[in-house]
PDB file of all heavy atoms in Angstrom:
ATOM      1  N   LEU A 260     -16.062  13.130  19.025  1.00 95.00           N
ATOM      2  CA  LEU A 260     -14.701  12.511  19.098  1.00 95.00           C
ATOM      3  C   LEU A 260     -14.820  10.980  18.812  1.00 95.00           C
ATOM      4  O   LEU A 260     -13.958  10.462  18.111  1.00 95.00           O
ATOM      5  CB  LEU A 260     -14.077  12.759  20.406  1.00 95.00           C
ATOM      6  CG  LEU A 260     -13.548  14.185  20.752  1.00 95.00           C
ATOM      7  CD1 LEU A 260     -13.155  14.238  22.203  1.00 95.00           C
ATOM      8  CD2 LEU A 260     -12.345  14.433  19.832  1.00 95.00           C
ATOM      9  N   LEU A 261     -15.800  10.364  19.432  1.00 92.00           N
ATOM     10  CA  LEU A 261     -15.973   8.912  19.224  1.00 92.00           C
ATOM     11  C   LEU A 261     -16.326   8.606  17.786  1.00 92.00           C
ATOM     12  O   LEU A 261     -15.853   7.594  17.280  1.00 92.00           O
ATOM     13  CB  LEU A 261     -16.976   8.392  20.217  1.00 92.00           C
ATOM     14  CG  LEU A 261     -17.195   6.884  20.249  1.00 92.00           C
ATOM     15  CD1 LEU A 261     -15.983   6.173  20.531  1.00 92.00           C
ATOM     16  CD2 LEU A 261     -18.312   6.553  21.214  1.00 92.00           C
ATOM     17  N   LYS A 262     -17.134   9.372  17.162  1.00 93.00           N
ATOM     18  CA  LYS A 262     -17.579   9.159  15.829  1.00 93.00           C
ATOM     19  C   LYS A 262     -16.380   9.280  14.865  1.00 93.00           C
ATOM     20  O   LYS A 262     -16.269   8.491  13.922  1.00 93.00           O
ATOM     21  CB  LYS A 262     -18.712  10.004  15.442  1.00 93.00           C
ATOM     22  CG  LYS A 262     -19.272   9.773  14.083  1.00 93.00           C
ATOM     23  CD  LYS A 262     -20.491  10.570  13.757  1.00 93.00           C
ATOM     24  CE  LYS A 262     -21.087  10.303  12.411  1.00 93.00           C
ATOM     25  NZ  LYS A 262     -22.274  11.079  12.091  1.00 93.00           N
ATOM     26  N   LEU A 263     -15.624  10.334  14.992  1.00 95.00           N
ATOM     27  CA  LEU A 263     -14.491  10.589  14.048  1.00 95.00           C
ATOM     28  C   LEU A 263     -13.388   9.611  14.241  1.00 95.00           C
ATOM     29  O   LEU A 263     -12.613   9.300  13.327  1.00 95.00           O
ATOM     30  CB  LEU A 263     -13.978  11.971  14.259  1.00 95.00           C
ATOM     31  CG  LEU A 263     -14.857  13.107  13.633  1.00 95.00           C
ATOM     32  CD1 LEU A 263     -14.296  14.431  13.958  1.00 95.00           C
ATOM     33  CD2 LEU A 263     -15.020  12.912  12.127  1.00 95.00           C
ATOM     34  N   SER A 264     -13.176   9.024  15.465  1.00 91.00           N
ATOM     35  CA  SER A 264     -12.054   8.200  15.738  1.00 91.00           C
ATOM     36  C   SER A 264     -12.258   6.750  15.320  1.00 91.00           C
ATOM     37  O   SER A 264     -11.349   5.917  15.549  1.00 91.00           O
ATOM     38  CB  SER A 264     -11.727   8.230  17.232  1.00 91.00           C
ATOM     39  OG  SER A 264     -12.790   7.739  18.066  1.00 91.00           O
ATOM     40  N   ASN A 265     -13.403   6.396  14.783  1.00 84.00           N
ATOM     41  CA  ASN A 265     -13.624   5.110  14.300  1.00 84.00           C
ATOM     42  C   ASN A 265     -14.669   5.152  13.130  1.00 84.00           C
ATOM     43  O   ASN A 265     -15.441   6.033  13.081  1.00 84.00           O
ATOM     44  CB  ASN A 265     -14.225   4.121  15.424  1.00 84.00           C
ATOM     45  CG  ASN A 265     -15.533   4.589  15.889  1.00 84.00           C
ATOM     46  OD1 ASN A 265     -16.518   4.190  15.250  1.00 84.00           O
ATOM     47  ND2 ASN A 265     -15.615   5.394  16.940  1.00 84.00           N
ATOM     48  N   PRO A 266     -14.581   4.253  12.190  1.00 82.00           N
ATOM     49  CA  PRO A 266     -15.486   4.250  11.009  1.00 82.00           C
ATOM     50  C   PRO A 266     -16.791   3.523  11.280  1.00 82.00           C
ATOM     51  O   PRO A 266     -17.392   3.086  10.249  1.00 82.00           O
ATOM     52  CB  PRO A 266     -14.654   3.544   9.938  1.00 82.00           C
ATOM     53  CG  PRO A 266     -13.799   2.599  10.716  1.00 82.00           C
ATOM     54  CD  PRO A 266     -13.554   3.198  12.005  1.00 82.00           C
ATOM     55  N   LEU A 267     -17.246   3.367  12.490  1.00 78.00           N
ATOM     56  CA  LEU A 267     -18.442   2.693  12.715  1.00 78.00           C
ATOM     57  C   LEU A 267     -19.690   3.577  12.503  1.00 78.00           C
ATOM     58  O   LEU A 267     -19.584   4.732  12.191  1.00 78.00           O
ATOM     59  CB  LEU A 267     -18.471   2.069  14.148  1.00 78.00           C
ATOM     60  CG  LEU A 267     -17.252   1.132  14.518  1.00 78.00           C
ATOM     61  CD1 LEU A 267     -17.384   0.738  15.927  1.00 78.00           C
ATOM     62  CD2 LEU A 267     -17.277  -0.058  13.579  1.00 78.00           C
ATOM     63  N   THR A 268     -20.831   2.948  12.702  1.00 84.00           N
ATOM     64  CA  THR A 268     -22.115   3.682  12.430  1.00 84.00           C
ATOM     65  C   THR A 268     -22.617   4.420  13.673  1.00 84.00           C
ATOM     66  O   THR A 268     -22.073   4.242  14.772  1.00 84.00           O
ATOM     67  CB  THR A 268     -23.211   2.646  11.956  1.00 84.00           C
ATOM     68  OG1 THR A 268     -23.373   1.688  13.006  1.00 84.00           O
ATOM     69  CG2 THR A 268     -22.723   1.918  10.691  1.00 84.00           C
ATOM     70  N   ASN A 269     -23.643   5.174  13.456  1.00 88.00           N
ATOM     71  CA  ASN A 269     -24.242   5.906  14.586  1.00 88.00           C
ATOM     72  C   ASN A 269     -24.837   4.933  15.616  1.00 88.00           C
ATOM     73  O   ASN A 269     -24.987   5.265  16.787  1.00 88.00           O
ATOM     74  CB  ASN A 269     -25.323   6.875  14.094  1.00 88.00           C
ATOM     75  CG  ASN A 269     -24.674   8.024  13.398  1.00 88.00           C
ATOM     76  OD1 ASN A 269     -23.539   8.477  13.683  1.00 88.00           O
ATOM     77  ND2 ASN A 269     -25.425   8.693  12.450  1.00 88.00           N
ATOM     78  N   TYR A 270     -25.192   3.682  15.204  1.00 85.00           N
ATOM     79  CA  TYR A 270     -25.756   2.777  16.083  1.00 85.00           C
ATOM     80  C   TYR A 270     -24.747   2.300  17.107  1.00 85.00           C
ATOM     81  O   TYR A 270     -25.115   2.241  18.321  1.00 85.00           O
ATOM     82  CB  TYR A 270     -26.248   1.547  15.274  1.00 85.00           C
ATOM     83  CG  TYR A 270     -26.623   0.364  16.112  1.00 85.00           C
ATOM     84  CD1 TYR A 270     -27.820   0.279  16.827  1.00 85.00           C
ATOM     85  CD2 TYR A 270     -25.727  -0.696  16.268  1.00 85.00           C
ATOM     86  CE1 TYR A 270     -28.119  -0.783  17.606  1.00 85.00           C
ATOM     87  CE2 TYR A 270     -26.077  -1.795  17.045  1.00 85.00           C
ATOM     88  CZ  TYR A 270     -27.218  -1.879  17.711  1.00 85.00           C
ATOM     89  OH  TYR A 270     -27.525  -2.905  18.512  1.00 85.00           O
ATOM     90  N   HIS A 271     -23.469   2.073  16.709  1.00 83.00           N
ATOM     91  CA  HIS A 271     -22.478   1.690  17.714  1.00 83.00           C
ATOM     92  C   HIS A 271     -22.114   2.790  18.597  1.00 83.00           C
ATOM     93  O   HIS A 271     -21.793   2.619  19.792  1.00 83.00           O
ATOM     94  CB  HIS A 271     -21.250   1.173  16.949  1.00 83.00           C
ATOM     95  CG  HIS A 271     -21.486  -0.004  16.096  1.00 83.00           C
ATOM     96  ND1 HIS A 271     -21.849   0.007  14.816  1.00 83.00           N
ATOM     97  CD2 HIS A 271     -21.351  -1.314  16.418  1.00 83.00           C
ATOM     98  CE1 HIS A 271     -21.998  -1.196  14.316  1.00 83.00           C
ATOM     99  NE2 HIS A 271     -21.752  -2.007  15.293  1.00 83.00           N
ATOM    100  N   VAL A 272     -22.104   4.071  18.099  1.00 86.00           N
ATOM    101  CA  VAL A 272     -21.823   5.248  18.899  1.00 86.00           C
ATOM    102  C   VAL A 272     -22.949   5.470  19.930  1.00 86.00           C
ATOM    103  O   VAL A 272     -22.739   5.837  21.075  1.00 86.00           O
ATOM    104  CB  VAL A 272     -21.642   6.483  18.074  1.00 86.00           C
ATOM    105  CG1 VAL A 272     -21.366   7.758  18.941  1.00 86.00           C
ATOM    106  CG2 VAL A 272     -20.535   6.262  17.072  1.00 86.00           C
ATOM    107  N   ALA A 273     -24.151   5.176  19.516  1.00 86.00           N
ATOM    108  CA  ALA A 273     -25.343   5.375  20.409  1.00 86.00           C
ATOM    109  C   ALA A 273     -25.329   4.436  21.593  1.00 86.00           C
ATOM    110  O   ALA A 273     -25.894   4.704  22.624  1.00 86.00           O
ATOM    111  CB  ALA A 273     -26.687   5.210  19.645  1.00 86.00           C
ATOM    112  N   ARG A 274     -24.645   3.304  21.522  1.00 82.00           N
ATOM    113  CA  ARG A 274     -24.561   2.349  22.601  1.00 82.00           C
ATOM    114  C   ARG A 274     -23.751   2.835  23.775  1.00 82.00           C
ATOM    115  O   ARG A 274     -23.843   2.340  24.923  1.00 82.00           O
ATOM    116  CB  ARG A 274     -24.029   1.009  22.137  1.00 82.00           C
ATOM    117  CG  ARG A 274     -24.863   0.344  21.077  1.00 82.00           C
ATOM    118  CD  ARG A 274     -24.228  -1.015  20.670  1.00 82.00           C
ATOM    119  NE  ARG A 274     -24.269  -1.948  21.754  1.00 82.00           N
ATOM    120  CZ  ARG A 274     -25.261  -2.775  21.985  1.00 82.00           C
ATOM    121  NH1 ARG A 274     -26.367  -2.681  21.258  1.00 82.00           N
ATOM    122  NH2 ARG A 274     -25.183  -3.694  22.992  1.00 82.00           N
ATOM    123  N   CYS A 275     -22.985   3.953  23.513  1.00 83.00           N
ATOM    124  CA  CYS A 275     -22.164   4.516  24.583  1.00 83.00           C
ATOM    125  C   CYS A 275     -22.924   5.622  25.404  1.00 83.00           C
ATOM    126  O   CYS A 275     -22.412   6.163  26.352  1.00 83.00           O
ATOM    127  CB  CYS A 275     -20.880   5.089  24.068  1.00 83.00           C
ATOM    128  SG  CYS A 275     -19.763   3.771  23.495  1.00 83.00           S
ATOM    129  N   PHE A 276     -24.101   6.018  24.863  1.00 84.00           N
ATOM    130  CA  PHE A 276     -24.792   7.181  25.476  1.00 84.00           C
ATOM    131  C   PHE A 276     -26.248   6.793  25.752  1.00 84.00           C
ATOM    132  O   PHE A 276     -27.005   6.406  24.809  1.00 84.00           O
ATOM    133  CB  PHE A 276     -24.789   8.399  24.438  1.00 84.00           C
ATOM    134  CG  PHE A 276     -23.469   8.847  24.183  1.00 84.00           C
ATOM    135  CD1 PHE A 276     -22.705   8.414  23.050  1.00 84.00           C
ATOM    136  CD2 PHE A 276     -22.813   9.847  25.001  1.00 84.00           C
ATOM    137  CE1 PHE A 276     -21.411   8.874  22.793  1.00 84.00           C
ATOM    138  CE2 PHE A 276     -21.506  10.288  24.696  1.00 84.00           C
ATOM    139  CZ  PHE A 276     -20.878   9.830  23.657  1.00 84.00           C
ATOM    140  N   PRO A 277     -26.672   6.812  26.948  1.00 77.00           N
ATOM    141  CA  PRO A 277     -27.945   6.394  27.366  1.00 77.00           C
ATOM    142  C   PRO A 277     -28.990   7.378  26.782  1.00 77.00           C
ATOM    143  O   PRO A 277     -28.760   8.562  26.669  1.00 77.00           O
ATOM    144  CB  PRO A 277     -27.999   6.355  28.849  1.00 77.00           C
ATOM    145  CG  PRO A 277     -26.873   7.363  29.250  1.00 77.00           C
ATOM    146  CD  PRO A 277     -25.871   7.281  28.146  1.00 77.00           C
ATOM    147  N   THR A 278     -30.209   6.807  26.527  1.00 81.00           N
ATOM    148  CA  THR A 278     -31.360   7.621  25.987  1.00 81.00           C
ATOM    149  C   THR A 278     -31.038   8.345  24.708  1.00 81.00           C
ATOM    150  O   THR A 278     -31.784   9.304  24.347  1.00 81.00           O
ATOM    151  CB  THR A 278     -31.858   8.706  27.071  1.00 81.00           C
ATOM    152  OG1 THR A 278     -30.823   9.728  27.225  1.00 81.00           O
ATOM    153  CG2 THR A 278     -32.021   8.047  28.401  1.00 81.00           C
ATOM    154  N   ARG A 279     -30.054   7.907  23.945  1.00 87.00           N
ATOM    155  CA  ARG A 279     -29.750   8.478  22.707  1.00 87.00           C
ATOM    156  C   ARG A 279     -29.804   7.403  21.571  1.00 87.00           C
ATOM    157  O   ARG A 279     -29.030   6.456  21.701  1.00 87.00           O
ATOM    158  CB  ARG A 279     -28.360   9.147  22.707  1.00 87.00           C
ATOM    159  CG  ARG A 279     -28.143  10.195  23.768  1.00 87.00           C
ATOM    160  CD  ARG A 279     -29.087  11.350  23.611  1.00 87.00           C
ATOM    161  NE  ARG A 279     -28.729  12.373  24.595  1.00 87.00           N
ATOM    162  CZ  ARG A 279     -29.563  13.409  24.848  1.00 87.00           C
ATOM    163  NH1 ARG A 279     -30.689  13.580  24.210  1.00 87.00           N
ATOM    164  NH2 ARG A 279     -29.128  14.310  25.727  1.00 87.00           N
ATOM    165  N   ASP A 280     -30.665   7.601  20.602  1.00 89.00           N
ATOM    166  CA  ASP A 280     -30.731   6.633  19.433  1.00 89.00           C
ATOM    167  C   ASP A 280     -29.795   7.186  18.349  1.00 89.00           C
ATOM    168  O   ASP A 280     -29.134   8.168  18.444  1.00 89.00           O
ATOM    169  CB  ASP A 280     -32.122   6.430  19.026  1.00 89.00           C
ATOM    170  CG  ASP A 280     -32.830   7.726  18.665  1.00 89.00           C
ATOM    171  OD1 ASP A 280     -32.163   8.787  18.683  1.00 89.00           O
ATOM    172  OD2 ASP A 280     -34.082   7.734  18.479  1.00 89.00           O
ATOM    173  N   GLU A 281     -29.850   6.473  17.209  1.00 91.00           N
ATOM    174  CA  GLU A 281     -29.038   6.898  16.074  1.00 91.00           C
ATOM    175  C   GLU A 281     -29.378   8.272  15.590  1.00 91.00           C
ATOM    176  O   GLU A 281     -28.508   9.062  15.179  1.00 91.00           O
ATOM    177  CB  GLU A 281     -29.223   5.840  14.959  1.00 91.00           C
ATOM    178  CG  GLU A 281     -28.851   4.424  15.366  1.00 91.00           C
ATOM    179  CD  GLU A 281     -29.140   3.452  14.220  1.00 91.00           C
ATOM    180  OE1 GLU A 281     -28.735   3.685  13.087  1.00 91.00           O
ATOM    181  OE2 GLU A 281     -29.837   2.421  14.515  1.00 91.00           O
ATOM    182  N   PHE A 282     -30.701   8.586  15.556  1.00 92.00           N
ATOM    183  CA  PHE A 282     -31.106   9.917  15.058  1.00 92.00           C
ATOM    184  C   PHE A 282     -30.555  10.989  15.999  1.00 92.00           C
ATOM    185  O   PHE A 282     -30.045  12.034  15.468  1.00 92.00           O
ATOM    186  CB  PHE A 282     -32.656   9.963  14.952  1.00 92.00           C
ATOM    187  CG  PHE A 282     -33.154  11.320  14.561  1.00 92.00           C
ATOM    188  CD1 PHE A 282     -33.066  11.631  13.235  1.00 92.00           C
ATOM    189  CD2 PHE A 282     -33.770  12.099  15.511  1.00 92.00           C
ATOM    190  CE1 PHE A 282     -33.556  12.979  12.816  1.00 92.00           C
ATOM    191  CE2 PHE A 282     -34.242  13.409  15.074  1.00 92.00           C
ATOM    192  CZ  PHE A 282     -34.185  13.722  13.727  1.00 92.00           C
ATOM    193  N   ARG A 283     -30.610  10.804  17.270  1.00 92.00           N
ATOM    194  CA  ARG A 283     -30.141  11.836  18.216  1.00 92.00           C
ATOM    195  C   ARG A 283     -28.625  11.940  18.093  1.00 92.00           C
ATOM    196  O   ARG A 283     -28.059  13.068  18.162  1.00 92.00           O
ATOM    197  CB  ARG A 283     -30.500  11.440  19.711  1.00 92.00           C
ATOM    198  CG  ARG A 283     -32.034  11.418  19.866  1.00 92.00           C
ATOM    199  CD  ARG A 283     -32.736  12.654  19.499  1.00 92.00           C
ATOM    200  NE  ARG A 283     -34.181  12.592  19.749  1.00 92.00           N
ATOM    201  CZ  ARG A 283     -34.966  13.465  19.346  1.00 92.00           C
ATOM    202  NH1 ARG A 283     -34.632  14.547  18.664  1.00 92.00           N
ATOM    203  NH2 ARG A 283     -36.287  13.312  19.577  1.00 92.00           N
ATOM    204  N   ILE A 284     -27.903  10.862  17.867  1.00 93.00           N
ATOM    205  CA  ILE A 284     -26.444  10.890  17.781  1.00 93.00           C
ATOM    206  C   ILE A 284     -26.120  11.652  16.565  1.00 93.00           C
ATOM    207  O   ILE A 284     -25.123  12.455  16.546  1.00 93.00           O
ATOM    208  CB  ILE A 284     -25.868   9.418  17.749  1.00 93.00           C
ATOM    209  CG1 ILE A 284     -25.990   8.772  19.089  1.00 93.00           C
ATOM    210  CG2 ILE A 284     -24.440   9.543  17.341  1.00 93.00           C
ATOM    211  CD1 ILE A 284     -25.135   9.503  20.218  1.00 93.00           C
ATOM    212  N   SER A 285     -26.788  11.448  15.443  1.00 93.00           N
ATOM    213  CA  SER A 285     -26.551  12.218  14.254  1.00 93.00           C
ATOM    214  C   SER A 285     -26.722  13.699  14.460  1.00 93.00           C
ATOM    215  O   SER A 285     -25.956  14.542  13.980  1.00 93.00           O
ATOM    216  CB  SER A 285     -27.430  11.750  13.092  1.00 93.00           C
ATOM    217  OG  SER A 285     -27.216  12.441  11.928  1.00 93.00           O
ATOM    218  N   GLU A 286     -27.803  14.110  15.112  1.00 93.00           N
ATOM    219  CA  GLU A 286     -28.041  15.533  15.385  1.00 93.00           C
ATOM    220  C   GLU A 286     -26.998  16.117  16.352  1.00 93.00           C
ATOM    221  O   GLU A 286     -26.443  17.182  16.168  1.00 93.00           O
ATOM    222  CB  GLU A 286     -29.424  15.729  16.095  1.00 93.00           C
ATOM    223  CG  GLU A 286     -30.559  15.554  15.060  1.00 93.00           C
ATOM    224  CD  GLU A 286     -31.881  15.969  15.692  1.00 93.00           C
ATOM    225  OE1 GLU A 286     -31.950  16.078  16.968  1.00 93.00           O
ATOM    226  OE2 GLU A 286     -32.849  16.224  14.930  1.00 93.00           O
ATOM    227  N   MET A 287     -26.542  15.362  17.365  1.00 94.00           N
ATOM    228  CA  MET A 287     -25.510  15.828  18.315  1.00 94.00           C
ATOM    229  C   MET A 287     -24.184  16.058  17.649  1.00 94.00           C
ATOM    230  O   MET A 287     -23.583  17.103  17.828  1.00 94.00           O
ATOM    231  CB  MET A 287     -25.394  14.785  19.465  1.00 94.00           C
ATOM    232  CG  MET A 287     -26.592  14.736  20.411  1.00 94.00           C
ATOM    233  SD  MET A 287     -26.537  13.254  21.390  1.00 94.00           S
ATOM    234  CE  MET A 287     -24.908  13.364  22.141  1.00 94.00           C
ATOM    235  N   THR A 288     -23.748  15.097  16.894  1.00 95.00           N
ATOM    236  CA  THR A 288     -22.451  15.248  16.219  1.00 95.00           C
ATOM    237  C   THR A 288     -22.489  16.325  15.107  1.00 95.00           C
ATOM    238  O   THR A 288     -21.506  16.999  14.985  1.00 95.00           O
ATOM    239  CB  THR A 288     -22.026  13.880  15.605  1.00 95.00           C
ATOM    240  OG1 THR A 288     -23.117  13.399  14.707  1.00 95.00           O
ATOM    241  CG2 THR A 288     -21.802  12.865  16.671  1.00 95.00           C
TER     242      THR A 288
END
Side-chain angles (χ1 to χ4, degrees):
L260 285 173
L261 182 58
K262 182 175 181 177
L263 285 175
S264 63
N265 65 86
L267 300 179
T268 61
N269 289 332
Y270 168 77
H271 297 90
V272 180
R274 296 181 68 88
C275 293
F276 298 91
T278 69
R279 305 298 187 191
D280 55 7
E281 302 175 51
F282 178 74
R283 301 301 181 191
I284 290 294
S285 178
E286 286 190 344
M287 291 164 53
T288 54

